[in-house]
Amino acid sequence: YKNMSEELEKLKIENEELKKQNSVKSDLISISAHQLRTSLSALKWILKMFLDKDIGPITNEQESFINKAYISNERMIALVNDMLTLNHAEEIALSFKFEKVDLVKLVEEITFEFSGESSKKHNELIFLRPDADVLEISCDREMIRVVFQNLIENAMKYSNDGDKVILSMQQRNDNVEISVRDTGIGITDDEKSKIFEKFFRADNAKEKDPVGSGLGLFTSKNIVEHHKGKIWFDSNEKSGTTFYLSLPILKASDTI
C-alpha cells in the first residue's frame, strides 16, 4: 500500500508538471500568434491604402503586384487565426464560455459578413430561414461562429464563380441541424476518411487554392464535439459538398 501511495503521488506530481508545461506552450503560441496578427493587420491596411490610391496614383503593374501581396497577407492572417482557434479549442472544455444564443440571428449575422466576398466571386450566398422564429442553443458564441465561418469560407473557396452556397436550418427532435451546401469541386472517395484530420488538405483543394493550413475542419470538429454536437458531410467529386452540423437545442429546463 505504501509503494502504491508513493507511485500515485509521483504520478500526481508528474501530471501537474505536464499541465504547467502545456500551459506555458499554450501561452507562448497565443502571444506569438497575437503579435503576428497585429503586424499582419497593420501591413494589410498599408497595402489597402495603396490599392485604394489614398496616398497617390499607382501604375497598373504596381497595382497588380500590391494586390497579390494583399491576398497573400490575407491568407497569412487567416492562418494565424486558425492557430489561435486551434490553440484554444484543444484546451479543456472549461475554457468555453457558454451562453444562450439565438442561432438564426447568429447565422444571419455571419452570412451578412460574407456578402462582400460572395459579391466579389459573383456567388450567391443564401440562408433559407427556418419556420421556427427562435432556435436557441447553449454555446460559446465566438467558437460556434468560427465553425460557421470555416464551413462557409470553404464552400465559397472551393466553388466556381457564379455558384450558389446554400445554408439551411431545421429542428430534428431535440437538436437543430444546419447544412452548408455548395456545388464546387467535391471530395474524392479515397480522401473522405481523412477530411477532419489535423493539417490534411485534399489534392483537388490544394490544386484550386495552394495556400491553406488544413486546420479549419479539424478545429470545427473539435469545437462541435465540445458542444455535444456532431459534424459530418456528403460529397461527390466535381458536383459539390454538403456539411451538416447538429447541436442540442436549449430546453426550458436547462440552466447555463
Side-chain angles (χ1 to χ4, degrees), residues 95-106:
S95 64
F96 283 66
K97 297 175 183 176
F98 286 83
E99 59 180 302
K100 184 165 69 173
V101 171
D102 181 336
L103 198 57
V104 175
K105 283 186 178 177
L106 180 61

Side-chain angles (χ1 to χ4, degrees), residues 14-236:
E14 288 175 355
N15 186 50
E16 288 300 319
E17 184 59 33
L18 284 171
K19 280 183 180 178
K20 286 179 185 175
Q21 289 177 11
N22 190 57
S23 178
V24 169
K25 180 210 76 171
S26 179
D27 288 345
L28 183 61
I29 291 172
S30 188
I31 291 165
S32 301
H34 274 106
Q35 288 174 333
L36 277 169
R37 189 166 64 179
T38 300
S39 298
L40 290 167
S41 295
L43 180 57
K44 170 183 175 175
W45 294 115
I46 292 170
L47 293 170
K48 190 81 167 60
M49 285 171 70
F50 278 105
L51 290 172
D52 291 343
K53 301 179 177 63
D54 291 338
I55 47 181
I58 54 175
T59 66
N60 290 338
E61 186 180 13
Q62 288 170 335
E63 185 174 2
S64 175
F65 279 111
I66 293 169
N67 191 53
K68 286 175 183 175
Y70 181 85
I71 292 168
S72 295
N73 191 66
E74 283 283 86
R75 287 172 175 160
M76 285 302 298
I77 291 171
L79 176 58
V80 170
N81 286 335
D82 279 344
M83 286 171 59
L84 283 166
T85 303
L86 177 67
N87 191 44
H88 292 315
E90 287 195 311
E91 292 172 2
I92 57 173
L94 289 174
S95 64
F96 283 66
K97 297 175 183 176
F98 286 83
E99 59 180 302
K100 184 165 69 173
V101 171
D102 181 336
L103 198 57
V104 175
K105 283 186 178 177
L106 180 61
V107 173
E108 283 179 335
E109 286 173 17
I110 297 166
T111 51
F112 178 76
E113 289 167 7
F114 277 91
S115 58
E117 190 173 337
S118 65
S119 175
K120 203 186 303 179
K121 285 195 71 178
H122 307 291
N123 286 342
E124 197 173 353
L125 181 59
I126 303 166
F127 174 38
L128 302 176
R129 214 175 184 281
D131 294 333
D133 289 335
V134 179
L135 284 170
E136 290 184 330
I137 62 170
S138 173
C139 72
D140 184 308
R141 180 188 293 271
E142 293 310 310
M143 286 295 187
I144 289 297
R145 180 185 286 274
V146 165
V147 174
F148 281 112
Q149 286 171 337
N150 281 334
L151 296 180
I152 295 170
E153 188 176 310
N154 281 350
M156 294 179 64
K157 186 190 295 184
Y158 302 122
S159 292
N160 301 307
D161 285 4
D163 284 356
K164 291 181 180 179
V165 174
I166 300 174
L167 283 80
S168 63
M169 185 186 299
Q170 60 183 312
Q171 184 170 347
R172 289 193 184 276
N173 300 319
D174 293 332
N175 296 297
V176 56
E177 185 178 292
I178 308 100
S179 65
V180 181
R181 176 161 59 92
D182 67 64
T183 51
I185 60 175
I187 303 164
T188 60
D189 288 340
D190 60 337
E191 292 182 309
K192 286 179 179 177
S193 62
K194 305 172 188 174
I195 210 71
F196 290 111
E197 290 180 7
K198 191 191 292 188
F199 303 122
F200 176 77
R201 295 191 75 218
D203 289 338
N204 58 354
K206 286 186 279 191
E207 189 177 327
K208 188 163 178 66
D209 190 340
V211 179
S213 65
L215 291 173
L217 290 175
F218 170 81
T219 302
S220 296
K221 185 172 186 287
N222 199 314
I223 292 170
V224 170
E225 289 178 350
H226 268 125
H227 285 80
K228 298 180 181 176
K230 292 189 298 182
I231 185 170
W232 69 100
F233 66 92
D234 287 327
S235 184
N236 292 301

